[in-house]
């Protein structure tokens, strides 16, 4: 049994098209995307332009619980590293019920904000004292339940974390909930694989960073994952902070991305999260590897990370996508806005994200981010085309910022001139409408659960 939606305007992988009929099957896969068609009698009608759903390629769900609570001076000079100390304190109190409640609200927020799938970089594994739960997968299963309840597409990336710094420095107390041996990690993946497959989720691996995973462990974990699933996605934090770059050079004589490219089988299934501080040669080689640059502009701004050289990466043909990371902001359009504005700050030019093929910045960035995000997710969510999931967002053509405009300008207004979520009318995932009139069906209940969990975690 197939379902259909007719749109006056839709953003296809090749660009904007008129009078588009989207058809999908019972499994939620698009079977046909036809432009220039009249509306069949049985087809629903989109209330505005239809754009592909955005994959969120980097999320730490629990961090939504303390977003906004670190915006005060904690020392003479605050940085990522002082923020991390506060994050560890919050993570130390987290239980499975808190994780599920926070993630349920967060994933509903994501859907309302135009994300239709998420890559969850999950590194809180154990109890507060560092001992394993009776069911070793307890916290990962909490996230899987949250994703199922809300109906968001899901890629689970359990995190391998072993050391506190380059040269195999022992972990500190704040990291004890994260630590796993390589053998333990591969066992966790084996146990999670059938659960993910049963709910249509993708399973991959996230070596946390070069400072947290020694070379032998990185090699063995990647080899073990590849034996289990040769196409499984691999995500890694890299070159986010200048201190990390300096420490890597002191340890190895090489910069982080340079070291990784020389010592790991980096290819199109890898996502280099942040990759903010790279040399010209790292930009060139990283792009050529086929790996996706995982950009998280609002988090990178919030943490004072620095500015990724988007133009240099793009000029080398590099793939990229966006994520909300620590969730200081949960909004697909906001990430594109922040990416574009960061490049304007750095270059003192406008419309940096535009291309010759797509002169509208919002159109060009949306298409590229969807492609890169799908690659990083390891799922068929690369846009409005047959064979992809029926994941899409319907904009509200009657929104004041969009009213009376052509479709490309409507998307531009959504990204640059609205309150962003306010211009989202409906969101569909796998052919099912999850957000209607801008609201998820679980909005109120999920919000109450989130507030209760956060209040409990913040009690003295």
């Amino acid at each position: 049994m197939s379902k259909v939606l007719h749109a006056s305007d839709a953003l296809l992988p090749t660009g904007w098209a008129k009078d588009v009929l989207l058809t999908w099957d019972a499994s939620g896969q698009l079977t046909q995307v036809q432009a220039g068609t009249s509306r069949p009698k049985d087809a629903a009608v989109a209330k505005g332009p239809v754009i592909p759903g955005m994959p969120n390629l980097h999320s730490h769900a629990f961090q939504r619980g303390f977003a906004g609570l670190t915006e005060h001076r904690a020392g003479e000079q605050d940085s990522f590293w002082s923020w991390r100390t506060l994050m560890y304190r919050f993570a130390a109190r987290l239980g499975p019920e808190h994780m599920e409640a926070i993630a349920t609200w967060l994933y509903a927020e994501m859907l309302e904000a135009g994300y239709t799938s998420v890559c969850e970089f999950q590194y809180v594994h154990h109890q507060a004292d560092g001992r394993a739960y009776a069911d070793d997968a307890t916290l990962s299963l909490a996230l899987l339940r949250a994703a199922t309840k809300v109906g968001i597409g899901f890629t689970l990336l359990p995190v391998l974390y072993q050391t506190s710094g380059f040269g195999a420095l022992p972990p500190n107390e704040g990291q004890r909930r994260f630590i796993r041996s390589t053998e333990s990690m591969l066992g966790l993946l084996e146990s999670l694989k059938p659960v993910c497959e049963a709910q249509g989720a993708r399973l991959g691996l996230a070596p946390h960073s070069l400072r947290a995973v020694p070379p032998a462990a990185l090699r063995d974990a990647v080899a073990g994952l590849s034996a289990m699933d040769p196409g499984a996605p691999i995500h890694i934090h890299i070159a986010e902070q200048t201190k990390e770059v300096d420490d890597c050079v002191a340890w190895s004589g090489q910069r982080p991305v340079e070291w990784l490219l020389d010592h790991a089988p980096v290819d199109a299934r890898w996502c280099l999260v942040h990759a903010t501080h790279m040399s010209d040669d790292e930009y060139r080689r990283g792009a050529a590897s086929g790996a996706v640059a995982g950009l998280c502009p609002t988090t990178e701004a919030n943490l004072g990370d620095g500015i990724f050289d988007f133009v240099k990466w793009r000029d080398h043909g590099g793939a990229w996508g966006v994520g909300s990371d620590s969730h200081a902001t949960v909004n697909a359009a906001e990430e594109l806005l922040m990416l574009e504005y960061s490049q304007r700050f750095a270059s003192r030019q406008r419309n940096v994200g535009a291309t010759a093929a797509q002169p509208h910045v919002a159109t060009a960035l949306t298409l590229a981010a969807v492609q890169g995000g799908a690659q990083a997710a390891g799922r068929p969510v690369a846009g409005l085309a047959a064979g992809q999931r029926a994941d899409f967002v319907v904009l509200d053509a009657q929104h004041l910022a969009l009213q009376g405009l052509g479709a490309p300008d409507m998307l531009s207004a959504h990204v640059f001139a609205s309150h962003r979520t306010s211009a989202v009318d409906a969101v569909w995932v796998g052919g099912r409408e999850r957000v209607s009139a801008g609201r998820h069906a679980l909005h109120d209940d999920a919000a109450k659960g989130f507030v209760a969990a956060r209040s409990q975690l913040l009690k003295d």
Side-chain angles (χ1 to χ4, degrees):
M1 180 175 156
S2 62
K3 298 186 178 181
V4 290
L5 179 76
H6 192 267
S8 296
D9 300 277
L11 182 56
L12 309 186
T14 53
W16 286 100
K18 288 288 210 182
D19 297 318
V20 176
L21 187 67
L22 303 173
T23 307
W24 59 91
D25 61 22
S27 73
Q29 178 175 288
L30 288 166
T31 56
Q32 207 167 29
V33 178
Q34 293 175 288
T37 62
S38 56
R39 178 205 164 202
K41 290 182 180 179
D42 62 341
V45 179
K47 293 182 180 179
V50 175
I51 61 174
M54 183 66 70
N56 185 332
L57 57 61
H58 193 59
S59 165
H60 305 300
F62 79 91
Q63 293 182 14
R64 183 58 171 161
F66 70 96
L69 301 181
T70 62
E71 309 305 316
H72 55 87
R73 188 172 290 281
E76 197 61 33
Q77 185 175 15
D78 276 344
S79 68
F80 166 85
W81 306 100
S82 56
W83 170 89
R84 190 180 72 163
T85 299
L86 297 173
M87 180 269 286
Y88 285 171
R89 291 178 193 165
F90 186 84
R93 300 183 173 191
L94 196 71
E97 68 284 358
H98 305 124
M99 179 74 90
E100 187 169 345
I102 292 169
T104 298
W105 167 244
L106 171 66
Y107 297 157
E109 277 190 290
M110 286 184 186
L111 286 168
E112 291 179 350
Y115 292 114
T116 49
S117 59
V118 60
C119 300
E120 187 60 48
F121 199 103
Q122 153 58 2
Y123 59 83
V124 184
H125 296 300
H126 306 308
Q127 298 181 69
D129 60 4
R131 291 181 301 159
Y133 286 97
D135 182 344
D136 193 33
T138 291
L139 290 171
S140 291
L141 292 172
L143 292 163
L144 284 160
R145 286 194 299 272
T148 299
K149 277 190 288 189
V150 171
I152 196 167
F154 204 64
T155 298
L156 178 62
L157 301 161
V159 173
L160 182 63
Y161 203 122
Q162 296 182 346
T163 60
S164 67
F166 293 99
L169 295 178
N172 61 48
E173 186 174 329
Q175 296 163 338
R176 61 188 175 185
R177 301 193 71 178
F178 315 157
I179 303 304
R180 278 190 177 277
S181 68
T182 308
E183 182 180 10
S184 166
M185 173 53 67
L186 294 176
L188 176 66
L189 294 178
E190 288 282 7
S191 71
L192 286 169
K193 192 169 186 286
V195 184
C196 289
E197 289 173 349
Q199 72 175 64
R202 193 75 164 100
L203 180 65
L205 171 70
H208 180 273
S209 56
L210 294 183
R211 68 178 184 272
V213 182
L218 178 64
R219 180 196 64 225
D220 293 346
V222 169
L225 175 72
S226 298
M228 199 180 307
D229 180 353
I234 303 168
H235 291 217
I236 186 170
H237 290 137
I238 198 157
E240 179 180 4
Q241 288 280 326
T242 53
K243 181 181 185 302
E244 178 191 348
V245 176
D246 294 342
D247 289 351
C248 188
V249 170
W251 164 67
S252 69
Q254 291 184 290
R255 300 171 62 87
V257 174
E258 177 188 16
W259 188 96
L260 187 70
L261 292 170
D262 282 349
H263 294 87
V266 178
D267 58 16
R269 65 185 178 135
W270 286 68
C271 179
L272 309 181
V273 182
H274 304 303
T276 309
H277 301 286
M278 293 191 287
S279 66
D280 289 349
D281 194 52
E282 286 174 309
Y283 273 101
R284 178 187 62 79
R285 292 182 62 201
S289 74
V292 177
L295 309 182
C296 307
T298 62
T299 290
E300 289 151 7
N302 182 272
L303 296 179
D305 288 343
I307 299 175
F308 179 86
D309 195 331
F310 173 76
V311 173
K312 189 172 290 182
W313 183 260
R314 183 184 62 186
D315 286 352
H316 285 304
W320 61 275
V322 294
S324 55
D325 193 353
S326 66
H327 315 301
T329 299
V330 182
N331 194 303
E334 195 96 15
E335 296 299 337
L336 300 183
L337 176 142
M338 183 63 76
L339 172 61
E340 171 66 20
Y341 281 1
S342 71
Q343 303 306 304
R344 294 185 188 190
F345 277 129
S347 67
R348 299 187 297 280
Q349 296 182 30
R350 299 189 72 251
N351 301 321
V352 178
T355 65
Q358 300 294 348
H360 282 80
V361 175
T363 298
L365 293 181
T366 297
L367 288 174
V370 167
Q371 288 285 326
Q375 181 181 323
R379 300 179 65 246
V381 290
L384 303 180
Q388 301 299 303
R389 299 290 292 169
D391 291 5
F392 50 85
V393 175
V394 181
L395 299 180
D396 179 8
Q398 298 308 307
H399 187 284
L400 182 62
L402 279 61
Q403 210 172 122
L405 303 178
D409 287 328
M410 284 194 196
L411 181 55
S412 293
H414 169 54
V415 173
F416 294 106
S418 75
H419 294 298
R420 284 161 283 286
T421 47
S422 64
V424 172
D425 176 69
V427 178
W428 297 65
V429 182
R432 295 184 62 182
E433 189 172 12
R434 297 296 187 175
V435 172
S436 179
R439 297 270 287 196
H440 192 283
L442 296 180
H443 182 102
D444 291 340
D445 288 344
K448 289 176 184 175
F450 169 79
V451 172
R454 183 176 62 182
S455 296
Q456 191 175 32
L457 288 164
L458 294 177
K459 281 182 180 177
D460 293 331

